[in-house]
Amino acid sequence: MAAGAATATAADMAAESAAAEAVLKRLQLTVTRKLDGLLQGDYVGLLPGPGSEAGESREYTAGDDVRRMDWPVTARTTVPHVRQTIADRELETWLCVDLSASLDFGTARCEKRDLAIAAAAAIGYLTVRGGNRVGAVVTNGETSRRLAARPGRNNAHGMLRRIFQTPRAPAGGTAANAGYLAEAVDALNRPPRRRGQAVVISDFLTDDIVRSERGDTEPAWERPMRKLAVRHDVLAIEIVDPRELSLPAVGVLTVVDPESGAVHEVSTDAKVRKAYADAAATQRTAIAGALRRAGAAHLRLSTDSDWLLDIVRFVAAQRRGRSRGTTR
């Protein structure tokens, strides 16, 4: 009996590994065929980094990062100048991938978990070139693990395979660890590294609220995000599903909170639907505000939209903003 169970388990693991390879190969083909040709450049990524090596100075324009002010030139010319930077020869990108229970949900083309993995694949395959390295911290809400940053497409593929194989947390499993996302983001701050890129992929739906330095409240992940942005270019990819923004008119609806496991019955009459939509809009506005205060660029991907097109539009907007000095 034990031998039979072991054989069945090995067969299940082999089937799961084969399924992971098939999904990742499709993602790799999708990214390289549809995005690679559109996003050409020496350091292609969702958030092109300006580098850290000092270059020439130019006059300050609205929206420039004041941390790059060139004070000697400013004092000498009496006109504000900023120091331009030259792209590093090697770029290190770190991902923080949230695969907690709230991402095991989807009512459109896919689950939010699938979309989060697709976003990670897009970053990984587009940034790991020319000696660039990519690593990750992945959490399912119960446990987190760090995947070392290594160069090469094969290493990126292996990292994505391990992200894909992250076990799902049981319903209610993250209730005892509400600060899991803040802890995972903060892990990107350790150890200190030279300037690079950091990408946080999550739905940002956490109940962990702390008192801010301003005296009001903020999500616990905002502070480590703000700390991360001091040294790195930070991109926040928010994963959403249309049912999180509005309820359908289907009478009495039974809903389950995947984070806590709580079950509720909701009457989806017009009054309830309006109150739900208003609360959801307020919640998303608060998330966007927290990301903006943290200094992160913000990309929203939805399970009912074309995520490839959304990425292309985002990169185009970032490039236009950088040419005008108005990104973020």
Side-chain angles (χ1 to χ4, degrees), residues 22-43:
V23 170
L24 290 175
K25 283 183 179 179
R26 285 199 302 271
L27 277 174
Q28 182 176 4
L29 286 173
T30 299
V31 170
T32 54
R33 285 180 179 177
K34 296 187 177 181
L35 290 184
D36 222 4
L38 293 172
L39 308 179
Q40 290 293 342
D42 291 335
Y43 299 98

Side-chain angles (χ1 to χ4, degrees), residues 17-297:
S17 179
E21 278 299 314
V23 170
L24 290 175
K25 283 183 179 179
R26 285 199 302 271
L27 277 174
Q28 182 176 4
L29 286 173
T30 299
V31 170
T32 54
R33 285 180 179 177
K34 296 187 177 181
L35 290 184
D36 222 4
L38 293 172
L39 308 179
Q40 290 293 342
D42 291 335
Y43 299 98
V44 176
L46 297 182
L47 189 65
S52 57
E53 184 179 343
E56 298 181 352
S57 292
R58 63 169 174 79
E59 288 190 15
Y60 173 88
T61 58
D64 282 338
D65 191 342
V66 295
R67 293 173 294 183
R68 299 198 182 99
M69 291 294 296
D70 191 336
W71 296 113
V73 175
T74 299
R76 187 167 62 251
T77 63
T78 70
V79 177
H81 278 68
V82 292
R83 174 71 68 177
Q84 292 181 300
T85 52
I86 301 171
D88 297 319
R89 289 190 174 274
E90 293 182 0
L91 178 68
E92 186 166 286
T93 299
W94 277 87
L95 314 179
C96 174
V97 186
D98 175 11
L99 297 179
S100 59
S102 64
L103 282 97
D104 296 334
F105 173 76
T107 63
R109 299 180 178 182
C110 61
E111 288 188 349
K112 294 196 295 178
R113 178 189 178 97
D114 300 327
L115 189 53
I117 293 172
I123 298 164
Y125 290 134
L126 288 176
T127 58
V128 61
R129 58 175 66 195
N132 295 340
R133 298 180 299 277
V134 60
V137 171
V138 57
T139 178
N140 67 356
E142 284 192 318
T143 59
S144 299
R145 59 176 174 169
R146 180 187 293 268
L147 307 176
R150 294 188 173 94
R153 191 175 291 270
N154 288 338
N155 285 321
H157 189 80
M159 179 197 72
L160 291 166
R161 185 190 305 112
R162 281 177 282 175
I163 292 175
F164 184 90
Q165 294 174 337
T166 299
R168 296 174 185 259
T174 59
N177 185 23
Y180 68 90
L181 182 56
E183 294 171 2
V185 173
D186 200 39
L188 298 186
N189 288 308
R190 304 186 304 271
R193 296 181 298 275
R194 70 176 185 177
R195 186 176 178 86
Q197 294 180 6
V199 182
V200 181
I201 305 172
S202 174
D203 56 8
F204 298 99
L205 298 179
T206 64
D207 294 327
D208 196 14
I209 304 298
V210 298
R211 181 70 60 180
S212 73
E213 299 170 353
R214 304 179 303 275
D216 54 3
T217 59
E218 66 184 20
W221 47 260
E222 181 180 338
R223 194 169 299 174
M225 287 272 285
R226 193 160 56 241
K227 180 180 177 182
L228 193 63
V230 170
R231 189 171 181 84
H232 306 286
D233 287 309
V234 180
L235 169 62
I237 301 182
E238 181 187 7
I239 308 296
V240 301
D241 185 87
R243 286 286 74 82
E244 295 172 331
L245 307 178
S246 63
L247 287 175
V250 292
V252 177
L253 182 66
T254 301
V255 295
V256 180
D257 182 353
E259 298 284 356
S260 66
V263 180
H264 300 280
E265 287 191 348
V266 180
S267 176
T268 58
D269 56 52
K271 183 178 179 180
V272 171
R273 294 200 308 275
K274 184 180 185 308
Y276 180 91
D278 291 344
T282 300
Q283 180 186 53
R284 295 298 171 177
T285 300
I287 291 172
L291 294 174
R292 185 170 54 253
R293 291 192 301 271

